Amino acid sequence: MSNQLRSFTLHNFRTIPQISSLSEEMIKEIEVVGRVLPFKTNNYVVNELIDWDNVETDPIFTLNFPRRGMLEKKHYSTIEKLLDANAEKDVIDEKVKQIRLSLNPNPAGQEHNVPSLGEIKLKGIQHKYPETVLFFPSQGQTCHAYCTFCFRWPQFSGMNELKFAMKESDLLLKYLRIHKEVTDVLFTGGDPMVMNASVLEAYIRPLLEPEFGHIRSIRIGTKSLAYWPYRYLTDKDSDDVIKLFELVAASGKSLSIQAHFNHPRELSTDAVKQAISRIRSTGAQIRTQSPLLRNINDKPELWASMWREQVDLGCVPYYMFIARDTGSKHYFELPLDKCWQIFRRAYSKVSGLCRTVRGPSMSDHAGKIQVLGVQEVRGEKIFVLRFIQGRNPKWVDVPFFAEYNPKATWFDQLKPAFNEERFFFEEKRAKLEVTKPFLFE
Ligand code: SF4
């Protein structure tokens, strides 16, 4: 195994030696679907994670490689016909654009979370909850490989008008000087760990200065441990990354790596184990999260074993999310009831140390809504829900109820239970949006 990162996309995936074991039909599916949804894998995923002997059903292959079912039939056949007819690039590009726009490229109204500084719209910041600011550094808007379910897929598809990204850390710092309620800055992407150590340091180091005493935690959302653990071991600036992490710990702030693992196999290689150990040796904590995905991790046993392995390696299980309504969601989604069943079966199998995990949770426009369960109250079957995070902090942790709907896969398909007209937070939310979306009171 070479420790040199080698990426494969639509243009060169045929050079992957294992591709010769695929049927022509599977190769065509990659070419058709890969036109619409971003596709990128790398030599680590290909050589150390994918089980090429069972590729038809292999979850890691499905995680990276486009499959036919990820596009609706009509969209698949439109692109297939154009490719078969050797249509002009412009014609294909136009059709691809139309299809992408029909795939809800901006789920949960993320543009509502973009704040302003005077007249300047801060396109690389999202500020939805008072204490946490998300920052999208423009150099971190790609990943070591792309997940086929990714809800941030427009970031990688050249849909610039929908891209959240910002280079100017000055604007971030100005914003944070004003917003003393912010305690956590989350660097996100794409994957900020694709940036080289010096760029990452240029963003992080100013936050360690005394004037940012209100910032207590720096978080980095990343899938690099799963897709390229050599980032922390043998890349030419790996040691600098580790030194930067140590610097944050020495400053007295907490550094939390929000690591994205979708399947226990991603935790099985020597490289990932060594990388986790090296990060932990800096004083950083690793918290883990993943969406629940049909065709990838829709078995309670998988989650239980993933959480156990994470705890064995010193990580903290953090979130099980429900797949967002975007891109290829229909291929990955599961009814909310099923999500809850999988969560609770997995949760009931593991020790208390794994039960730091929260879920299943939907990152909806209003906040992070957890499905606490299904119950029957006075003959009515209902979902019991609560906000783990709310656009208004007063909504957090207040149980509320929705009519049971066995088919619902997202919050917007639910209605209030007990013949109520609205959920308890809806009236207030409507007012907030009309007046000032970033008013937290
Ligand atoms: S690593 Fe994260 S941002 Fe990158 S493709 Fe996967 S889900 Fe999307």
Side-chain angles (χ1 to χ4, degrees), residues 138-339:
S138 45
Q139 301 92 332
Q141 298 315 308
T142 181
C143 307
H144 293 101
Y146 292 149
C147 311
T148 39
F149 65 83
C150 178
F151 80 95
R152 296 228 167 106
W153 60 273
Q155 303 278 97
F156 324 124
S157 306
M159 299 174 83
N160 288 336
E161 66 283 10
L162 294 168
K163 200 166 174 171
F164 297 104
M166 193 158 90
K167 226 181 216 161
E168 303 81 5
S169 71
D170 280 1
L171 289 175
L172 170 69
L173 300 180
K174 267 190 194 158
Y175 187 78
L176 293 175
R177 275 187 202 107
I178 297 167
H179 288 270
K180 299 282 187 203
E181 75 279 13
V182 177
T183 57
D184 291 41
V185 177
L186 168 60
F187 289 85
T188 185
D191 191 330
M193 292 311 303
V194 299
M195 299 193 288
N196 66 43
S198 58
V199 176
L200 195 59
E201 183 171 350
Y203 282 118
I204 291 180
R205 198 183 259 274
L207 298 175
L208 309 182
E209 295 298 324
E211 65 171 320
F212 294 108
H214 58 294
I215 307 297
R216 304 172 75 97
S217 299
I218 292 168
R219 308 193 208 171
I220 301 177
T222 181
K223 194 159 165 69
S224 53
L225 278 165
Y227 279 163
W228 189 247
Y230 299 110
R231 182 76 195 93
Y232 307 94
L233 301 174
T234 55
D235 276 4
K236 62 181 187 316
D237 60 350
S238 296
D239 291 349
D240 298 330
V241 168
I242 295 299
K243 278 188 209 134
L244 177 61
F245 288 3
E246 286 169 348
L247 190 73
V248 178
S251 78
K253 296 190 198 287
S254 86
L255 175 63
S256 181
I257 305 300
Q258 312 282 122
H260 188 162
F261 291 108
N262 305 119
H263 192 276
R265 204 184 297 155
E266 295 170 326
L267 293 153
S268 66
T269 68
D270 289 343
V272 73
K273 289 179 186 175
Q274 285 166 21
I276 288 173
S277 161
R278 201 155 186 231
I279 291 174
R280 290 193 62 236
S281 75
T282 67
Q285 283 190 313
I286 302 174
R287 293 185 171 79
T288 61
Q289 57 194 41
S290 167
L292 173 52
L293 303 157
R294 194 160 60 87
N295 295 310
I296 290 186
N297 60 21
D298 53 349
K299 306 260 180 317
E301 304 73 37
L302 287 178
W303 284 86
S305 87
M306 190 155 65
W307 293 334
R308 280 193 209 108
E309 185 64 24
Q310 287 163 1
V311 168
D312 289 351
L313 294 170
C315 308
V316 182
Y318 192 49
Y319 269 122
M320 176 203 270
F321 290 117
I322 293 170
R324 291 210 200 196
D325 180 17
T326 183
S328 49
K329 192 196 179 207
H330 64 277
Y331 187 81
F332 295 108
E333 71 185 355
L334 289 157
L336 298 178
D337 187 358
K338 177 89 177 163
C339 294

Side-chain angles (χ1 to χ4, degrees), residues 41 68 100 122 157 215 222 263 313 315 330 345 355-356 398:
T41 188
R68 186 184 190 113
R100 284 176 179 165
L122 301 175
S157 306
I215 307 297
T222 181
H263 192 276
L313 294 170
C315 308
H330 64 277
R345 286 200 190 119
R355 294 187 187 186
T356 46
V398 179

Side-chain angles (χ1 to χ4, degrees), residues 112-116 125-134 175-176 178-184 365-367 389-396 428-429 431-433 435-441:
H112 291 296
N113 307 329
V114 176
S116 301
I125 292 181
Q126 289 186 21
H127 193 187
K128 182 170 177 182
Y129 309 120
E131 65 282 351
T132 307
V133 152
L134 273 60
Y175 187 78
L176 293 175
I178 297 167
H179 288 270
K180 299 282 187 203
E181 75 279 13
V182 177
T183 57
D184 291 41
H365 182 43
Q389 266 288 19
R391 199 172 275 279
N392 183 333
K394 288 178 185 156
W395 303 341
V396 173
K428 202 159 182 198
R429 184 179 71 179
K431 275 189 205 152
L432 278 179
E433 279 162 16
T435 55
K436 198 173 174 193
F438 299 102
L439 183 70
F440 298 110
E441 287 304 312

